[in-house]
Amino acid sequence: MNIIEVNASRRYDIFVEEGLLNRAGAYCAQVLRGKKVLLLTDETVGALYLNTVKQSLEASGFEVNPYTVAVGEDSKSTATYLQVVSYLAENHFTRSDAIVALGGGVVGDLGGFCAATYLRGIGFVQIPTTLLACVDSSVGGKTAVNLPEGKNLLGSFYQPWLVLCDPTALQTLPSEIYADGMAEVIKYGMIRDRTLFEALERGELTDTEIICRCVAIKRDIVEQDERDTGYRQLLNFGHTVGHAVEKCSDFSISHGSAVAIGMAVLTRALSAMGKTPAEECERLLALLAACGLPTTCDIAPQALYEVALSDKKRANDTLALITVPVIGEGGIETIAVTELARYIEMGAVK
Ligand code: NAD
Ligand code: MG
């Protein structure tokens, strides 16, 4: 069994092992005080795994209330949020009861925010079922729903009681959703772990190994900067340009693909500026391509820059840009926002 201990504002463990879905109840019983749980999932994940987890929880003495939301980002809405917390109230959930979020980042973020706010905080367990949720969204305690004005605008830092990752669940993921998660996996290798990057190049890691190594990296970063005021920005490698790509494409380009393009743009720019060897850049592009991820898009650099700028300009005239001059050694550079144009121009391929 792989156990990754997290020491944030709450101490908790992340367990990673094949078959954990069948044993979820026993693990939850060790950390939850009450016997009542809301088992939150989406329609796709519910059809695949709800019964397994429900039966396991019931076998450990829990009273399980399943709650299924529609698939997709639209469920991270204030409307769904209010429906879930109203359901908790109608069913007399108390502070010792809990939400168990079974699914990808959408269900995890929604469930986490409901748990953080209902009665000022109830128990919360994450059972991530996408690669992205295993390596990224279930680690670090960020929970949120979206507002019409933008993504993740209503949220809270709220660490779970427990995270259970069962890599066998990833076997039912469509390949493009698995690839989305791989963009974040490659990001971890780029910013912090050259040996992880090289093992990915050789394709020699199991999903369990990938998850354990990525979770440990994110854990280390989050423990140093839980509230995202500085060092945690390292995790944003590829994301400033990536978010612009998502927006310019009207979200037809997925987050993972957009982050892949963002990492590629920045690294090509660094290479053109002579700040990173061309060979390092080629290795990133090759690994992204091998994982089924894009490294270019046909959005004009000027359009990307304008959207990225409108995101950043509110704060001040500088921005923290994450660059990786050597694979495994990401750094935070403060640049003038106008300087971002040069990076995008130099790194984009038209
Ligand atoms: P998602 O939850 O929408 O899942 C993607 C798709 O995969 C869905 O259609 C889902 O039904 C399906 N699915 C999930 N598990 C499956 C399985 N095992 N087999 C088959 N299908 C399965 O999306 P996601 O990519 O997991 O997460 C994206 C969300 O995560 C975004 O809302 C993003 O803002 C959020 N996020 C949060 C953090 C954080 O720190 N909290 C970090 C990164 C991303
Ligand atoms: Mg991301």
Side-chain angles (χ1 to χ4, degrees):
M1 167 67 79
N2 304 286
I3 307 171
I4 297 150
E5 184 181 331
V6 185
N7 285 291
S9 49
R10 188 191 338 274
R11 200 215 69 78
Y12 63 97
D13 291 318
I14 298 174
F15 293 90
V16 185
E17 195 180 63
E18 295 195 355
L20 265 186
L21 290 183
N22 303 293
R23 302 194 292 282
Y27 287 90
C28 289
Q30 287 177 17
V31 297
L32 298 180
R33 283 192 294 143
K35 281 293 168 204
K36 204 155 141 177
V37 300
L38 182 89
L39 182 53
L40 184 70
T41 192
D42 73 22
E43 281 161 357
T44 300
V45 180
L48 290 163
Y49 303 114
L50 184 97
N51 279 337
T52 305
V53 176
K54 183 169 177 279
Q55 281 164 17
S56 174
L57 287 165
E58 285 172 349
S60 292
F62 288 101
E63 177 200 324
V64 182
N65 295 251
Y67 195 105
T68 304
V69 299
V71 164
E73 187 70 24
D74 286 353
S75 285
K76 260 179 66 174
S77 64
T78 50
T80 314
Y81 163 70
L82 290 175
Q83 284 161 10
V84 175
V85 290
S86 294
Y87 179 90
L88 294 172
E90 282 159 16
N91 289 278
H92 311 291
F93 273 67
T94 69
R95 247 192 219 148
S96 51
D97 299 326
I99 295 178
V100 175
L102 171 70
V106 164
V107 165
D109 280 12
L110 170 69
F113 187 57
C114 293
T117 49
Y118 176 70
L119 300 179
R120 303 188 184 86
I122 64 171
F124 179 47
V125 172
Q126 294 242 40
I127 308 183
T129 63
T130 63
L131 181 60
L132 178 123
C134 291
V135 301
D136 192 355
S137 61
S138 69
V139 190
K142 284 189 181 177
T143 74
V145 295
N146 304 324
L147 294 181
E149 291 77 12
K151 255 180 78 77
N152 297 326
L153 292 185
L154 189 63
S156 161
F157 288 96
Y158 197 65
Q159 302 292 345
W161 271 233
L162 171 72
V163 180
L164 299 174
C165 283
D166 182 348
T168 55
L170 305 186
Q171 283 164 14
T172 50
L173 277 182
S175 59
E176 66 279 8
I177 294 176
Y178 185 86
D180 259 346
M182 278 308 290
E184 304 287 356
V185 169
I186 294 169
K187 177 194 79 179
Y188 289 118
M190 288 295 286
I191 59 173
R192 275 293 283 268
D193 190 345
R194 191 175 182 94
T195 61
L196 168 63
F197 187 93
E198 290 178 343
L200 293 168
E201 286 182 315
R202 294 191 296 272
E204 66 187 22
L205 299 177
T206 62
D207 284 338
T208 301
E209 289 167 330
I210 289 174
I211 293 167
C212 289
R213 292 178 72 154
C214 293
V215 166
I217 293 170
K218 185 161 182 188
R219 182 269 319 267
D220 289 346
I221 292 173
V222 167
E223 280 183 356
Q224 290 183 54
D225 179 21
E226 186 174 349
R227 295 235 153 200
D228 201 2
T229 57
Y231 187 56
R232 191 167 173 167
Q233 289 173 8
L234 209 50
L235 296 168
N236 288 341
F237 177 51
H239 281 62
T240 298
V241 175
H243 287 146
V245 169
E246 280 183 282
K247 280 192 186 164
C248 288
S249 75
D250 232 346
F251 293 89
S252 67
I253 298 179
S254 70
H255 180 72
S257 293
V259 168
I261 293 165
M263 293 192 288
V265 166
L266 274 186
T267 309
R268 272 195 300 263
L270 282 187
S271 171
M273 292 170 186
K275 293 185 184 178
T276 189
E279 193 213 334
E280 295 279 279
C281 179
E282 288 310 318
R283 286 176 74 173
L284 170 65
L285 302 180
L287 181 56
L288 290 170
C291 293
L293 289 160
T295 57
T296 61
C297 63
D298 51 19
I299 301 166
Q302 180 67 22
L304 286 180
Y305 171 64
E306 278 166 17
V307 170
L309 196 66
S310 68
D311 250 11
K312 297 288 168 190
K313 206 153 191 181
R314 286 161 302 176
N316 46 42
D317 290 339
T318 61
L319 72 91
L321 191 69
I322 313 308
T323 58
V324 181
V326 178
I327 292 169
E329 298 174 26
I332 306 178
E333 275 184 51
T334 304
I335 62 165
V337 282
T338 48
E339 179 78 347
L340 184 63
R342 202 160 69 91
Y343 278 86
I344 293 175
E345 281 287 343
M346 291 182 87
V349 174
K350 283 142 281 174

